[in-house]
Structure formats: structure tokens, C-alpha cells
Amino acid sequence: MTPAEWAAETVIKRAHGLYFDRQNNCLDRSQALDEMLSVKEDFIVKPSNTNNGQGIKKLYYQDGTLQLDDRKLTLQALEKMYGGNFSVQKVVQQHSTMSNPHPDSVNTLRMVTFRWKGEIRYLLTFARFGANNNVLDNTSHGGVSIGVKDNGEFMAKALDRRFKVHDTHPTTGFPFKDMKPVPNFDKFKQYVIDLHKNILHHDFLSWDIVVGADGLPVFLEANFKGGTWFYQLLSEKPLFGDLTEEVLEYMYKERNDENSPRHKSHAKIQPSQDKQSRRIKKLEDEKKQLMRERDQLKKKYNDMTGSTSWKITAPVRKASSFLKRR
């Protein structure tokens, strides 16, 4: 999806329990560890099935070993922590514009694109900065976010997850008013537009992009969900900009048109064949159980109506029924 020179470099990846190198050649477990150690650099490790920075940690290279949380890292520990699907990437060298507020984290641009009437549109951008010497830039880990104007200039104030406004970075004290614009910002906007052209099943995407040391975009992650209300707070404008009224009107019509693929009757993802088979079997088992209970009740009823006591008390039941009708 992304040219290798425009993306964070992956050293090894694990998919369904198998290891692969950067050219997707299969590796055994010992080769996987050797591949990492041969680089002699720090790494970022991230799960393959999450987004928004969940589970990301930094591995530190030290004296021929990799360290995680001040402990020597083993492949067994990495597998226990991340399971069968994760990747290990080189740490991206970022531009000083983004590193100055908080150098310990890889700070990113969250850029949003939207497919509308057959064309990919750029919508908005905000920047995310880590805090408390944490490697992650998420607000959920104490970081702050700040809006980016369409010309690449930063807003003067940032927000944390509690919506507290910051004029300066909460850890380093760096004044946000002193931030220089994102270099080559028009290239960044065109870059995410081109990325979105390769994804057909999602019309709305947000991209985590690093500003490389050379001032060019570096792909880090694609996100398929997020708090869009927060996007609007930071960018100080509607999510869809000048398209907002048109998009809302279109979606209202689509959601109420039973023939539209966006109608709620079509929107629900159909279960897999295996899941459908399990559901059918469960319903059949429940049906058999209900039929057994029905047969048991029917037998009890027949036994009761055929009993001597039932026949003896028949006049009493008739008298009771007659009195109720009156």
C-alpha cells in the first residue's frame, strides 16, 4: 500500500504465529531474534490488530541485547505479550518541528481523508505529542493534541483528554506559539489522498503520519475509527467542512432508502457460514428441548385427565365454570 521509502521500516513481522523478514521471507524463531539484534538499533513493537497506538512499546538496544521496561527481552516474552500477530519497526527519525515539544515520543500528524463522489478529499489535520517521557503520543497516555491549519501552521493552544487548554507542553514547557509550520505540507496532503485511493472499502480514514527528518511524510498507521468530535474541537471546524450539509443530506436519504446498500437493513455484516451453522444447530437443539418439554407436559396432562380424582371432581369444575359465566 505504501512505498517502502515512505513508510516506517519493518525489521520482522509475525503473522498467524509465523515470522517473516522485511522481504516477507519466512524465518524460524532463532532467525527472528538474530534479525533484530543484527540491526543494533532501538525498535518500536506494535500489535497488528489494533489501532490508535494501543499496545505500542519501545525496545532499546543495549550491549547486544534488547531491553523492554528495563529488562532483557526474550522472544518468548515478546510472544507472550503480543501473541501471533505483531511487527517490529525501526524508530523513525522525526523532524525537529515535531520533536521539539517532546523529544521522547514519535509525535505524529493525524490526517483525515474522505471519499466523496468518486474523489478523495483531504479534510483536516491535528498533531499529537507525547508527555511524561512516554514513547506514545496519545492523549490517553497523558499527551496533548493541537490543530493544524490547512497551510501547515499550528494552532496556538493544545488540548489534553480532560479538555484542559495548554499554551505550553505539560512536560517540557515548550510554548506552542513558537512552533514552525509543517514543512512541505501540501505534499503531506497529497500523500494521504494517494494512500486512500488504495483502500476501497472505507470512505472515511484517518492516517498517522510522521514528519521525517527530511521534511517528508512517513506512513505509520491507518485508523478506521476515532473520536471525530475531538477532531472537530482541535481543528475548530466541522468534520466535513464545506461539504457538511451535502453529506448529511445524502446520508439521511441513503439510510432511509431500503434499496440503498447503506440502509440499516444492509449495513449489518452478515455472519460467516460457520457462525450461521453454529446458530442453526443451537436453534435446532433448543427446538428439540422444547419439544421434549411439550411431550412431557402432554403426558402429565393425559395422566391427570385420565385419573380417578379428575373424573370425581368433574361436577365441581362444571359448577365453578357456570358460576364464573354468571
Side-chain angles (χ1 to χ4, degrees), residues 69-85:
D69 298 331
D70 297 323
R71 295 182 181 180
K72 180 180 177 180
L73 179 71
T74 65
L75 201 60
Q76 183 178 4
L78 194 63
E79 292 170 348
K80 184 177 180 180
M81 190 178 303
Y82 288 96
N85 298 281

Side-chain angles (χ1 to χ4, degrees), residues 260-284:
S260 168
R262 297 183 187 274
H263 186 264
K264 60 184 178 181
S265 62
H266 299 283
K268 186 176 180 181
I269 298 175
Q270 296 300 313
S272 65
Q273 187 173 352
D274 287 344
K275 191 171 183 179
Q276 286 180 318
S277 298
R278 290 195 299 270
R279 185 179 295 175
I280 291 171
K281 185 178 185 304
K282 182 180 179 181
L283 291 173
E284 289 176 342

Side-chain angles (χ1 to χ4, degrees), residues 51-62:
N51 57 22
N52 290 308
Q54 296 177 9
I56 292 178
K57 288 185 176 291
K58 189 173 183 178
L59 309 180
Y60 295 90
Y61 180 81
Q62 182 178 341

Side-chain angles (χ1 to χ4, degrees), residues 71-275:
R71 295 182 181 180
K72 180 180 177 180
L73 179 71
T74 65
L75 201 60
Q76 183 178 4
L78 194 63
E79 292 170 348
K80 184 177 180 180
M81 190 178 303
Y82 288 96
N85 298 281
F86 63 87
S87 63
V88 178
Q89 299 176 336
K90 288 186 177 182
V91 177
V92 178
Q93 301 303 313
Q94 60 185 331
H95 196 275
S96 58
T97 295
M98 295 295 289
S99 65
N100 285 339
H102 188 258
D104 289 323
S105 54
V106 177
N107 306 306
T108 60
L109 300 177
R110 173 64 62 89
M111 306 187 71
V112 183
T113 54
F114 176 54
R115 179 181 284 108
W116 180 247
K117 295 184 176 179
E119 181 183 351
I120 306 298
R121 311 287 187 99
Y122 163 80
L123 294 182
L124 58 86
T125 296
F126 62 91
R128 309 189 305 169
F129 298 94
N132 304 317
N133 309 116
N134 196 314
V135 67
L136 296 177
D137 60 357
N138 299 43
T139 54
S140 58
H141 290 83
V144 294
S145 298
I146 185 170
V148 179
K149 301 176 184 178
D150 288 344
N151 62 0
E153 294 180 357
F154 291 89
M155 305 284 191
K157 301 179 185 295
L159 286 177
D160 62 24
R161 68 177 305 183
R162 298 180 182 275
F163 311 112
K164 182 179 178 181
V165 178
H166 296 265
D167 295 315
T168 61
H169 191 279
T171 302
T172 64
F174 184 92
F176 290 116
K177 65 179 180 60
D178 291 345
M179 293 195 66
K180 297 179 180 179
V182 178
N184 308 305
F185 192 59
D186 285 340
K187 290 186 178 180
F188 280 75
K189 291 189 284 188
Q190 187 60 49
Y191 177 63
V192 292
I193 288 173
D194 292 339
L195 286 179
H196 197 159
K197 292 176 182 178
N198 296 312
I199 297 182
L200 306 180
H201 290 88
H202 294 272
D203 293 334
F204 182 90
L205 278 166
S206 54
W207 308 89
D208 289 342
I209 306 296
V210 178
V211 181
D214 57 1
L216 295 176
V218 179
F219 169 82
L220 199 62
E221 186 176 68
N223 300 281
F224 303 101
K225 57 183 180 180
T228 53
W229 54 269
F230 194 54
Y231 293 14
Q232 296 173 90
L233 279 177
L234 292 166
S235 60
E236 300 181 10
K237 63 180 181 181
L239 182 64
F240 297 108
D242 295 338
L243 297 173
T244 299
E245 290 188 15
E246 188 179 357
V247 171
L248 292 178
E249 183 179 352
Y250 170 80
M251 289 308 301
Y252 177 80
K253 290 180 180 178
E254 288 290 292
R255 295 291 287 181
N256 289 280
D257 180 359
E258 294 183 359
N259 296 316
S260 168
R262 297 183 187 274
H263 186 264
K264 60 184 178 181
S265 62
H266 299 283
K268 186 176 180 181
I269 298 175
Q270 296 300 313
S272 65
Q273 187 173 352
D274 287 344
K275 191 171 183 179

